[in-house]
Structures are given as C-alpha cells and as structure tokens.
Amino acid sequence: AAEVSRAATTILDADQLMSTVVKLIRSSFNLYYVGLFLVEEGTNTAVLRAGTGKEGELQMALNHSQEIGGESMIGTAVATGQTIVEQNVRLARAFKPNPLLPETRAELALPLKAGPKIIGALTVQSTEQGAFASETITVLQSLADQLAIALENAQLFAQTEQNLVETNRLYTASRRIGQATNAYEIYKTLIDFVQAANIADVVQIIIADPKAPDYLITPVYWSSDDIPVDPAHRFPRSKYRYSDQITNTDVIILDDAQKDPEIDPFSRRLF
C-alpha cells in the first residue's frame, strides 16, 4: 500500500501513473487482475485505461468499456459512487463474466472519487472466493481515493504544461513577426505557427501578386503530405471569383468548402 501511495504522489504523467498503480496493487495484494476505468467525457461509458498482464493489454486494444449505470459492477460503482463487493461472482447478479479472465472468483469495483466527482473505477479481482476482508476493502478504497486525486492533479499538470507550450509558441511567433523585415518572413512565421500547433493538414497564404494584382499567388504553403507547390505559379483572379475574400478582414469558417454554393469551381481547387 505504501508503494501505491508513493506512486500516486510522485508520478505526474497520467498514463504512467495508471499503468504503475494497477501493477502495484496486483502485486501488493496478490491479486489475479486489476483494471482501471475512466469516464469518457460526453458519453455514458467508462473506458479501460490500464489493466494488468496480457489480458489487460488485449482489452485496452479492444477499447473495452462498460456502460455507466448498466448491469456491470464497474458501471454501478461509477453511477452510485459506492464500492461494489462480490465475494462469489458465480452467485452475483451484477457480475458480467469476462472470457479473458476465466479464473475470477471474487471482485471489487472501487469508485475513483475526486471530491464530489467520480472519474472512474477500479476493478480488483481474485481467484479465491471470499478473498476481500473488510479491512482490505477499506485500504483499497482509500488507495482508490488517493489515485483519483492524483489523476486529477496529473491532468491539471498536463494542461498547465500544454498552456505553457502554447504561450511560448505564441510569444515566439509574435517576436518573429516583430523582427520580420519583409512580408515573406511574416507569412512563413504564420505557416510555421499553425504547423507546430498541429491544428491543420494544409496551410497556405494566398495573396494578390504584387507585380500583377489581377493574379493570385501562394508565396508560402505547407501540407502534412508534403505536396509541392510552386510559389511562382499565378492564378487569374477573373476565374477565382472567391478570391475577392482576400480583402475581407473578417474570419471566415467554411464547414465544407467543396460543397459551399458561394465558392466557384476554380476557387475550390485552392482548398
């Protein structure tokens, strides 16, 4: 139990924390199997995020999940916030046999409670009937509570790190733009920013050709597929009627550029 508590207070990566803790609980309490489910936001399911042994690996590969509030022990524990105990699963109504875990004879489902919020549940299984004494259940629920708080902290830490990365990315882009000596350097900075942020598959700057305003050019272009684009190639604006939008200072969001009736066939080729 001490090793589990230590891991919960020292590991800040959520995936590493879950993987480590289920293994420690299994070995510390001489259990058959331990799995950790987390509630998937926007759904009514709890998804297996860590599991011991090859059985756990296979179930995660299959995206194993349980319906919250359903007939399973995990679903009930998440829905009610109560520890569910079955000392003889063969006589249990709430127990759902798992063909990958045929030796299970007793099971606990322990809700992961971070304050008033239930973020998931632990399944703890033994090959022996009546394996879980009341003292063991109390200790395991205490560990589950510690783990829930640790997972919330790990997610908060990851979000903080991500915010710092994004802030640094914005600062770097702003500094490069401020130091730019020509328009191309500004365009390149914008493209590099979007590429680094990993928020698009294709990014391109489209402007009127400074030497021939009746034509369009793409001075800077990037795609995740490394599609080559000739920056010197010119497009006649008379064909690309949608190109008039380059003078629009408003942000335009197109849900489906290929089907938008406002976009002419030539302009669609740019998207």
Side-chain angles (χ1 to χ4, degrees):
E3 291 184 13
V4 177
S5 297
R6 190 177 305 113
T9 56
T10 58
I11 299 176
L12 293 176
D13 179 81
D15 289 333
Q16 181 186 355
L17 175 60
M18 291 185 288
S19 176
T20 300
V21 166
V22 294
K23 293 174 184 176
L24 287 174
I25 291 176
R26 179 188 183 187
S27 60
S28 298
F29 292 87
N30 193 29
L31 297 164
Y32 174 45
Y33 174 79
V34 178
L36 188 154
F37 291 77
L38 288 183
V39 175
E40 188 171 73
E41 296 295 334
T43 71
N44 193 45
T45 57
V47 180
L48 183 70
R49 294 291 303 276
T52 54
K54 294 182 178 179
E55 299 86 355
E57 293 178 3
L58 180 55
Q59 289 180 88
M60 284 189 289
L62 295 173
N63 199 33
H64 180 53
S65 63
Q66 297 287 2
E67 180 185 0
I68 297 173
E71 297 180 354
S72 70
M73 293 177 64
I74 288 293
T76 302
V78 174
T80 64
Q82 301 296 316
T83 299
I84 309 300
V85 186
E86 293 295 352
Q87 300 285 14
N88 184 352
V89 296
R90 294 181 177 179
L91 303 178
R93 292 183 178 182
F95 177 75
K96 295 179 67 175
N98 187 331
L100 295 177
L101 299 167
E103 303 301 319
T104 298
R105 295 295 178 267
E107 180 179 4
L108 288 179
L110 305 156
L112 296 173
K113 296 182 288 187
K117 183 180 179 182
I118 301 174
I119 64 171
L122 278 174
T123 175
V124 178
Q125 303 180 24
S126 173
T127 58
E128 298 180 9
Q129 294 182 15
F132 302 113
S134 59
E135 295 82 1
T136 301
I137 296 173
T138 299
V139 171
L140 285 170
Q141 185 58 69
S142 176
L143 291 175
D145 293 341
Q146 292 180 48
L147 177 57
I149 295 172
L151 284 171
E152 288 284 274
N153 290 338
Q155 292 173 359
L156 179 60
F157 177 77
Q159 184 61 55
T160 301
E161 279 200 321
Q162 181 61 33
N163 290 342
L164 288 173
V165 169
E166 293 175 359
T167 299
N168 184 62
R169 190 183 297 127
L170 282 169
Y171 170 77
T172 301
S174 297
R175 184 164 54 84
R176 285 179 58 185
I177 290 174
Q179 296 174 347
T181 58
N182 55 58
Y184 175 82
E185 292 179 359
I186 295 176
Y187 299 152
K188 185 66 168 62
T189 297
L190 294 173
I191 294 289
D192 290 345
F193 175 82
V194 176
Q195 179 183 357
N198 195 30
I199 57 177
D201 296 321
V202 177
V203 192
Q204 57 184 326
I205 302 293
I206 302 173
I207 63 172
D209 188 342
K211 298 179 180 179
D214 289 337
Y215 289 86
L216 300 172
I217 58 173
T218 302
V220 188
Y221 176 95
W222 171 82
S223 78
S224 57
D225 297 326
D226 293 325
I227 300 173
V229 172
D230 181 5
H233 182 72
R234 301 193 304 176
F235 308 90
R237 290 185 67 174
S238 59
K239 289 185 176 181
Y240 295 83
R241 297 190 305 276
Y242 196 75
S243 67
D244 292 338
Q245 294 294 341
I246 64 174
T247 62
N248 191 338
T249 59
D250 296 328
V251 174
I252 300 173
I253 300 176
L254 303 174
D255 293 329
D256 190 341
Q258 299 303 315
K259 295 181 180 179
D260 195 308
E262 298 296 323
I263 304 178
D264 60 90
F266 285 95
S267 295
R268 288 196 185 102
R269 299 177 186 177
L270 300 175
F271 295 98

